[in-house]
Amino acid sequence: MGYYHKNNIFLDGLIYCLLLGGMVIIFLLTGVLFKMEPTDFSCTRSLEGVECTLIRKSQFLKPTEIKIHNPVAVDINNCHREDIFGRHYSDPDCYGSSSAEIRSKGVSYKIKIYGGRDYKTVNAIAREVNEFLLSSNAPSFHKRF
């Protein structure tokens, strides 16, 4: 008739507890393994143009290095969309976060360099990188966030 009329209630409960405990351990380990450490973003100016390097590190994985040739500018994606009637709304897939994305010549997509819920921080990072790319004559730029 149900769960309580079985002869092996203890065994079923033990299996459920072990499965639940295993799932919790897996979630904790993946959170520890893939925890992101600070990201390094650096750009160098040369005779050929500007080249930027984005290095993302996680705790136990090999660092990911992305080279961006001839970057143009950094845009802010604050997840505001416009529907076919011209009304603006926040995209529910973004969960209220904003991101700074860099554009490059000859590439149709943008690369996310920083994201977070604090719009002021995202805006400050985008403004700092844009200042180097668009109006500065400095030979190099480095930012850790």
Side-chain angles (χ1 to χ4, degrees):
M1 285 272 168
Y3 183 77
Y4 295 107
H5 293 287
K6 290 185 176 181
N7 291 333
N8 55 357
I9 295 173
F10 177 75
L11 185 59
D12 287 346
L14 181 65
I15 291 171
Y16 292 134
C17 287
L18 288 175
L19 286 175
L20 182 64
M23 288 174 38
V24 168
I25 289 172
I26 288 172
F27 285 130
L28 289 175
L29 284 177
T30 56
V32 169
L33 288 176
F34 299 113
K35 178 184 169 191
M36 295 302 287
E37 292 184 359
T39 299
D40 288 321
F41 182 76
S42 59
C43 296
T44 56
R45 195 181 307 274
S46 66
L47 295 175
E48 293 85 29
V50 178
E51 181 179 274
C52 295
T53 305
L54 178 68
I55 300 174
R56 292 188 176 126
K57 301 174 188 171
S58 63
Q59 200 163 17
F60 294 109
L61 299 176
K62 185 178 177 183
T64 304
E65 182 175 324
I66 301 170
K67 293 214 181 263
I68 305 159
H69 302 283
N70 298 320
V72 177
V74 175
D75 299 325
I76 297 174
N77 181 5
N78 57 3
C79 293
H80 288 286
R81 306 284 187 245
E82 185 175 336
D83 63 9
I84 59 172
F85 303 109
R87 293 180 298 215
H88 293 277
Y89 65 95
S90 181
D91 190 355
D93 292 337
C94 296
Y95 302 106
S97 65
S98 301
S99 62
E101 300 172 341
I102 192 164
R103 290 183 284 136
S104 180
K105 289 181 186 176
V107 179
S108 61
Y109 56 89
K110 299 176 185 178
I111 297 172
K112 179 179 170 181
I113 60 173
Y114 182 79
R117 292 189 182 268
D118 186 11
Y119 180 76
K120 290 181 181 180
T121 305
V122 173
N123 192 21
I125 289 172
R127 187 174 50 244
E128 219 174 321
V129 175
N130 278 334
E131 191 175 293
F132 170 77
L133 292 175
L134 302 174
S135 63
S136 173
N137 290 328
S140 65
F141 172 80
H142 180 76
K143 180 80 175 167
R144 176 173 278 177
F145 39 83

